[in-house]
Amino acid sequence: MKTILPIQWKNDILILLDQTLLPNEVVYEEFETIEGVWDAIQVMKVRGAPAIGVSAAYGLYLGIRNATERDFPSFYEELTIKAAYLASSRPTAVNLFWAINRLKQTAEQNKHLPISEIKQLLLEEAITIHHEDEEINRNIGENLLTLLQDGMGILTHCNAGALATTKYGTATAPMYLAHERGWNLKIFSDETRPRLQGSMLTAFELQQAGLDVTVITDNMAAVVMSQGKINAVIVGCDRVAANGDTANKIGTLGVSILAKHYGIPFYVAAPTPTIDLETPTGAEIPIEERETSEVTHRFGIATAPENVQVYNPSFDVTPHENITAIVTERGIVKPNYQENLVKVMKRP
Ligand SMILES: CSC[C@H]1O[C@H](OP(=O)(O)O)[C@H](O)[C@@H]1O
């Protein structure tokens, strides 16, 4: 599968594809500091829950690798400070906190070792998280394929693609696997205001890979569903609460309501690192609000009156009642989500 890799680790340098420049420019940027990674996550040079988690893992290592502390308590205190800094970059995608905690646990579990060895183990854990992500996505794709048929029309929202992960994507994983097997899925990618990840990222990566993708405006979901063009909706997620309520890019809620109205299955592609059993319901998921210029300006041109009031939540929550199935790499989860999410998290 020919895809552009958004994240690479080479010669102790984190290399990120600057996604703010797509689809017009493919530019890679090198990062050697935790501050640089924090900024890359915040301004969305790298974005997408899994990609944020992988980048944060490398970012935390970059932030601690030159620490001079020689005893574990003071080293771990510094690690915790760096972790809290990185965690402040964006609040909704739970993968960020999951990845940071994986590295903190690695340090804890090896507190008896010399600091230099602990640092090396932190890098190895970040690399492991990176490599695990590709397998997770492929397995999500295989599980989603069991719910699809050749020739189906699929609507997807925002970018839960290869660009949001390390490879394959989550919502797009079955699309790439289907293409490899000679299927012809007809994919509809809505633009996904305000940052247009659906047209600028999803359509870009799928077209690059030779898939059948059609861009529609965000307000066209109802008409393509009413015309019978959509047989299934597949979206990504940034955090799945214990009861199955799911936070995803703003607009996902509306698409789920339309899918329910037209009797179209609505699938959430959910890597288990994005499932947060500590958050009881969607009401408790922190929703990021971003700068107003994302709404009032596009490409430097004002599209709204100066100083107008703007409300710009970057995510919304789809209630579990609107979700047909939550598809993980460990299996397909159907209602009762409260019970079945616990079971899937216990599977190897
Ligand atoms: C598998 S990516 C999950 C998720 O992340 C995206 O948000 P953002 O581009 O703001 O990081 C979008 O909600 C995707 O569905």
Side-chain angles (χ1 to χ4, degrees):
M1 180 187 83
K2 171 180 174 288
T3 61
I4 293 176
L5 300 178
I7 302 172
Q8 297 172 65
W9 178 260
K10 284 183 183 173
N11 306 320
D12 261 7
I13 293 173
L14 179 62
I15 301 167
L16 297 176
L17 171 65
D18 181 348
Q19 299 190 32
T20 64
L21 300 176
L22 293 175
N24 304 308
E25 295 178 82
V26 178
V27 175
Y28 287 90
E29 189 173 339
E30 296 186 350
F31 295 86
E32 298 185 74
T33 67
I34 188 172
E35 294 77 11
V37 176
W38 186 99
D39 184 68
I41 293 171
Q42 211 300 307
V43 304
M44 297 173 65
K45 288 181 178 178
V46 61
R47 31 65 50 200
I52 290 171
V54 172
S55 301
Y58 286 123
L60 185 52
Y61 168 71
L62 290 171
I64 200 68
R65 66 177 173 179
N66 297 324
T68 56
E69 288 73 10
R70 310 199 65 76
D71 62 288
F72 182 79
S74 54
F75 173 79
Y76 191 77
E77 184 181 357
E78 182 63 13
L79 180 67
T80 302
I81 291 168
K82 299 290 190 192
Y85 165 72
L86 210 49
S88 69
S89 54
R90 293 186 75 188
T92 304
V94 70
N95 306 59
L96 171 61
F97 315 100
W98 167 83
I100 287 170
N101 288 334
R102 277 257 312 245
L103 265 69
K104 290 180 68 176
Q105 286 164 9
T106 299
E108 276 277 11
Q109 291 158 3
N110 295 282
K111 60 170 67 175
H112 57 287
L113 294 177
I115 299 300
S116 59
E117 290 185 31
I118 295 175
K119 288 178 181 178
Q120 182 56 35
L121 289 171
L122 294 180
L123 174 57
E124 290 171 11
E125 187 68 6
I127 293 169
T128 299
I129 289 171
H130 188 170
H131 293 167
E132 281 175 354
D133 183 65
E134 181 176 329
E135 185 184 356
I136 285 172
N137 302 334
R138 190 176 180 91
N139 290 338
I140 288 173
E142 294 290 356
N143 289 332
L144 271 165
L145 272 186
T146 67
L147 302 169
L148 306 177
Q149 291 170 8
D150 187 6
M152 272 189 165
I154 309 288
L155 171 64
T156 191
H157 184 72
C158 193
N159 175 255
L163 290 168
T165 66
T166 57
K167 193 175 180 183
Y168 290 115
T170 57
T172 60
M175 301 170 191
Y176 288 118
L177 295 180
H179 184 63
E180 287 176 4
R181 297 171 192 178
W183 288 24
N184 180 31
L185 296 179
K186 299 183 183 317
I187 302 142
F188 292 83
S189 177
D190 65 24
E191 288 170 309
T192 320
R193 282 192 55 75
R195 292 183 66 113
L196 307 182
Q197 281 110 315
S199 57
M200 297 179 78
L201 303 181
T202 301
F204 169 76
E205 67 169 80
L206 295 180
Q207 186 187 55
Q208 287 282 312
L211 277 69
D212 178 342
V213 58
T214 300
V215 171
I216 60 172
T217 60
D218 287 329
N219 48 14
M220 283 181 63
V223 73
V224 289
M225 289 182 186
S226 71
Q227 292 170 344
K229 291 180 166 48
I230 308 299
N231 304 104
V233 176
I234 310 177
V235 298
C237 56
D238 293 86
R239 192 180 304 219
V240 179
N243 72 340
D245 293 348
T246 296
N248 196 53
K249 184 54 53 195
I250 190 74
T252 305
L253 171 58
V255 172
S256 78
I257 293 167
L258 289 169
K260 194 166 188 175
H261 174 78
Y262 286 103
I264 295 169
F266 184 91
Y267 300 123
V268 172
T272 52
T274 315
I275 296 172
D276 176 11
L277 298 182
E278 301 304 311
T279 297
T281 74
E284 291 81 38
I285 298 176
I287 299 297
E288 177 185 21
E289 283 196 49
R290 294 186 63 87
E291 54 273 13
T292 61
S293 59
E294 290 187 347
V295 177
T296 60
H297 290 72
R298 290 308 302 158
F299 316 114
I301 298 172
T303 57
E306 197 172 347
N307 300 322
V308 70
Q309 293 182 91
V310 175
Y311 179 36
N312 183 27
S314 195
F315 302 94
D316 57 25
V317 174
T318 296
H320 59 82
E321 299 90 346
N322 291 7
I323 300 172
T324 309
I326 296 173
V327 185
T328 78
E329 71 279 14
R330 299 180 192 174
I332 298 170
V333 183
K334 293 190 174 178
N336 174 305
Y337 291 123
Q338 194 81 39
E339 293 171 17
N340 295 331
L341 284 172
V342 171
K343 290 176 184 171
V344 82
M345 295 300 277
K346 289 177 178 172
R347 287 183 202 159

